[in-house]
Amino acid sequence: MFSHAVAALRCPVCRGTLQLRDGGQPTLACEAGHLFDAAKQGYFNLLTGKGTVFEADSADMVAARYRFLDAGHYSGLATAVAEAAAGSLKGPGALVLDAGTGTGHYLHAVLERSGAAGIAMDISKFALRRAARLNPAAANIVWDVWRPLPMADNTADVVTVVFAPRNPAEFARVLRPGGSLIVVTPRPGHLAEIAGRTGMLGIEAGKEERLLDSMRDYFDPGTSHSLDLPLSLTGSEVADLAYMGPAGHHLQREELAELAALEGLVSTTAKFRISEFPVS
Ligand SMILES: C[S@@+](CC[C@H](N)C(=O)[O-])C[C@H]1O[C@@H](n2cnc3c(N)ncnc32)[C@H](O)[C@@H]1O
Ligand SMILES: [Zn+2]
């Protein structure tokens, strides 16, 4: 599995093929001699040159995401993503790229269901530490998906993007004909009952149209379906949910403590859209 994934990777410096050297510390190496050592947790940092101006998720935010997802609240979404991906992940050598993999939760479900090889990318090394532990057979790569992806053309059968940034031109380049791009986004009303308390931004109307517009140049019109998951959460789960998303960057310790101290159960509904864009 890992070797299938490595075969699709390209050196971010010279675009040459990469080989795994495993003499003690695993290293990805191209023929020109560019070397990328594995971190001790098993992921590879392929980002070179000056860092991106980006506030990567902190270790604590990643831990909150891990706790919340591990408790199974979004398992219905993981199953739906795995099912959607399985249709295009058939046969030996099938490959999925999970862009903005976070803790690797959704990729885990996709790999379990399909037996495919996986590449996981995220800009946060804290996220990749978790992802590498959860999906050790995947190639876990620190990368900024706004840059040209360190992958060859027409190598992935599926690209999944779950609440993460989208680079349609690059996703179209790395996808094989017959493959598909699967995008999960929140719908208006997502977690509405708790959004007010947690500083989470509401979903603006028109977001769906903007997603479709951004795909139009690279993909055929897709199909999409809605998934609603009713949730019943303790205070500390509400705090984790608030902290694990984009609002987490701005939440103060006291605000989180207040949420965690909420008594009783808070009811809300997670509202997702799963969109699939086929590659012809
Ligand atoms: C809201 S989280 C979703 C993570 C995961 N897909 C999930 O649903 O659990 C967004 C993720 O995108 C990553 N991310 C943000 N900007 C990125 C970029 N430019 N390149 C790669 N990853 C990025 C963040 O580090 C974070 O892990
Ligand atoms: Zn190179």
Side-chain angles (χ1 to χ4, degrees):
M1 288 307 127
F2 189 74
S3 57
H4 279 316
V6 171
L9 292 174
R10 289 294 175 269
C11 173
V13 183
C14 70
R15 308 301 297 176
T17 55
L18 290 168
Q19 308 281 342
L20 180 69
R21 286 194 203 154
D22 209 350
Q25 185 183 29
T27 299
L28 291 173
C30 74
E31 283 197 350
H34 302 119
L35 302 176
F36 307 92
D37 294 337
K40 73 172 188 298
Q41 296 86 357
Y43 65 86
F44 295 88
N45 187 349
L46 264 54
L47 270 184
T48 53
K50 68 176 164 49
T52 309
V53 187
F54 176 82
E55 201 181 356
D57 289 3
S58 67
D60 286 346
M61 287 169 70
V62 171
R65 173 169 293 276
Y66 179 80
R67 274 194 303 271
F68 186 84
L69 294 176
D70 194 48
H73 301 296
Y74 283 2
S75 64
L77 177 59
T79 305
V81 171
E83 270 170 18
S88 302
L89 292 173
K90 293 195 175 126
L95 178 70
V96 53
L97 163 67
D98 188 26
T101 195
T103 58
H105 182 79
Y106 298 98
L107 180 62
H108 186 74
V110 170
L111 298 183
E112 268 206 329
R113 169 87 159 73
S114 63
I119 296 178
M121 292 183 192
D122 202 285
I123 203 163
S124 163
K125 64 177 191 231
F126 300 113
L128 262 294
R129 285 181 187 172
R130 296 272 183 179
R133 221 181 299 158
L134 192 58
N135 301 314
N140 291 283
I141 306 290
V142 179
W143 191 253
D144 174 0
V145 301
W146 295 122
R147 296 202 199 181
L149 303 179
M151 285 176 68
D153 298 357
N154 302 334
T155 43
D157 299 280
V158 170
V159 174
T160 50
V161 192
V162 184
F163 314 121
R166 296 180 289 273
N167 184 341
E170 278 297 281
F171 296 157
R173 180 182 68 76
V174 302
L175 275 164
R176 287 193 179 115
S180 76
L181 169 65
I182 298 171
V183 181
V184 177
T185 46
R187 300 197 333 274
H190 175 61
L191 305 175
E193 295 81 354
I194 59 173
R197 301 192 202 191
T198 57
M200 295 196 276
L201 298 176
I203 313 298
E204 323 102 77
K207 213 162 176 175
E208 169 85 0
E209 285 68 34
R210 283 207 297 283
L211 166 65
L212 295 175
D213 274 351
S214 68
M215 296 294 160
R216 198 155 288 149
D217 289 344
Y218 303 97
F219 291 90
D220 296 338
T223 54
S224 75
H225 66 275
S226 305
L227 175 71
D228 285 2
L229 298 178
L231 303 172
S232 199
L233 304 172
T234 64
S236 60
E237 290 171 334
V238 172
D240 279 346
L241 189 52
Y243 198 36
M244 74 190 223
H249 291 290
H250 314 291
L251 278 171
Q252 307 297 322
R253 200 170 283 275
E254 304 77 53
E255 294 173 293
L256 283 170
E258 243 174 67
L259 290 173
L262 285 174
E263 284 180 15
L265 291 176
V266 179
S267 296
T268 185
T269 302
K271 298 187 174 208
F272 307 113
R273 176 161 337 272
I274 303 170
S275 306
E276 288 183 55
F277 299 91
V279 184
S280 46

